[in-house]
Amino acid sequence: TYGNKFLSYVYNGRIYTSIDTNTTTGRFSSRDVSTTYVNNKGTLSKRKLNRFINFQNLPSNEIRECFLPDEGYDFVTIDLSQCELRILAAMSKDPILIAGVSGKLDLHSTLATESYRIIYNDPNFIVSDTVNKHLRKKHKPALFGMIYGAGPKRISEVLDIPLHTAKLVWKALRDKLSVAFEYLDGVVKQALKDGYIISNDLAKSRYILSEYNDHKDNGVYYERTHSVIRTLYNYKMQTTNADMIMECLVNINEFFKNKPAEIRLSVYDEIGYQRLKGQDYIDDQVKDIIISTCNQYLSDDVQMECSIGIASHWQK
């Protein structure tokens, strides 16, 4: 996708994507689009237009170097730090998550140590940002998978461990973050009962479980209930994240009026813009806008943090 095929999408000297905002969580989705045509049988068919490419999962900084500012400008990337974990910490009030996102605890090392002591049957095994660092990185998808509703089978795949061991790890992590998982379990249970879920108290985006409700009302089991439950686990985090980013984009765009700066892109927890070289004061003010905007969605004990990267191209 991002090798020679990436370059085949060049059109008028640029590469384009198609942005879709009509998603379950409100996050921007980036993809190609389909076009309808009359096939050889005289009926309508669909095929990809092959004009737009997915910009969401760019694999490396080498590809990001294709995204350039105008001449005389710097490309500034602001990355929201641990955004969804902060949202979950603020909503659930889990003390370990709060300590992790506030810098009082190395959350990923703590949880990875917990898991690998079970995996290696070694109560003294350590994972940190200096000791067994590769395992710390490998463990992150296990944590995010679980808060998005993943079970032992997925943990087994991510950590490459037997299923019976994964069940022990899964239980240990849920026990460690018991307050957060009790909150998530409660959210899912209430949503299934109500037939809908609300993102947060500020934006109040609502997702109606239409097909699930239809089956429930008719006393018929919905075969995709498991998929609905997975969506409900991550809905509040991802939708609140999307609400934050969209409000940040609106506020930043307003701030940029009559300034030598322009928003260029937004991907997940990143906002990229260009601004005239030497106008560094803009970056600190944009950061303040982002933090104050995001903090509206959080709580007094959980505050947003973000990093600023300045380069001649988009960088991670």
Side-chain angles (χ1 to χ4, degrees), residues 113-127:
T113 295
E114 186 90 9
S115 295
Y116 281 100
R117 284 181 176 181
I118 295 171
I119 294 169
Y120 293 137
N121 193 26
D122 180 356
N124 298 313
F125 194 83
I126 297 294
V127 178

Side-chain angles (χ1 to χ4, degrees), residues 38 80 95 127 182 203:
V38 178
L80 278 62
V127 178
E182 285 174 12

Side-chain angles (χ1 to χ4, degrees), residues 119-137:
I119 294 169
Y120 293 137
N121 193 26
D122 180 356
N124 298 313
F125 194 83
I126 297 294
V127 178
S128 71
D129 57 0
T130 56
V131 180
N132 294 312
K133 183 177 180 179
H134 66 291
L135 296 179
R136 183 182 186 276
K137 181 178 181 180

Side-chain angles (χ1 to χ4, degrees), residues 50-205:
N50 292 323
R51 273 279 307 280
F52 305 103
I53 201 164
N54 182 346
F55 280 173
Q56 291 173 279
N57 302 305
L58 298 175
S60 65
N61 273 329
E62 284 77 9
I63 297 298
R64 288 172 178 246
E65 289 176 10
C66 295
F67 295 78
L68 306 174
D70 293 335
E71 187 174 349
Y73 286 75
D74 285 324
F75 200 111
V76 183
T77 306
I78 297 190
D79 194 350
L80 278 62
S81 174
Q82 298 181 302
C83 187
E84 291 185 6
L85 287 180
R86 291 180 192 277
I87 293 168
L88 180 57
M91 289 182 170
S92 69
K93 302 300 180 185
D94 187 293
I96 294 179
L97 277 183
I98 291 174
V101 299
S102 63
K104 298 176 182 177
L105 173 75
D106 184 343
L107 178 68
H108 294 295
S109 293
T110 299
L111 297 180
T113 295
E114 186 90 9
S115 295
Y116 281 100
R117 284 181 176 181
I118 295 171
I119 294 169
Y120 293 137
N121 193 26
D122 180 356
N124 298 313
F125 194 83
I126 297 294
V127 178
S128 71
D129 57 0
T130 56
V131 180
N132 294 312
K133 183 177 180 179
H134 66 291
L135 296 179
R136 183 182 186 276
K137 181 178 181 180
K138 185 177 181 179
H139 190 268
K140 284 185 179 182
L143 169 61
F144 285 104
M146 285 186 62
I147 65 177
Y148 294 157
K153 183 178 179 182
R154 180 57 182 159
I155 302 305
S156 171
E157 295 169 353
V158 169
L159 299 181
D160 193 23
I161 56 177
L163 182 58
H164 69 274
T165 305
K167 290 179 179 178
L168 297 176
V169 169
W170 183 81
K171 184 179 184 306
L173 292 178
R174 283 185 66 95
D175 289 344
K176 192 77 173 178
L177 299 175
S178 60
V179 176
F181 283 109
E182 285 174 12
Y183 168 77
L184 290 172
D185 293 343
V187 165
V188 172
K189 183 177 179 180
Q190 189 65 46
L192 292 175
K193 179 181 177 182
D194 295 339
Y196 66 88
I197 186 171
I198 295 175
S199 60
N200 52 69
D201 294 334
L202 194 60
K204 297 182 179 179
S205 306

Side-chain angles (χ1 to χ4, degrees), residues 240-259:
T240 300
N241 188 355
D243 290 338
M244 286 178 172
I245 292 293
M246 286 188 283
E247 188 168 350
C248 284
L249 290 172
V250 170
N251 293 341
I252 294 168
N253 189 59
E254 183 67 24
F255 170 69
F256 279 172
K257 287 183 178 179
N258 302 317
K259 289 184 176 62

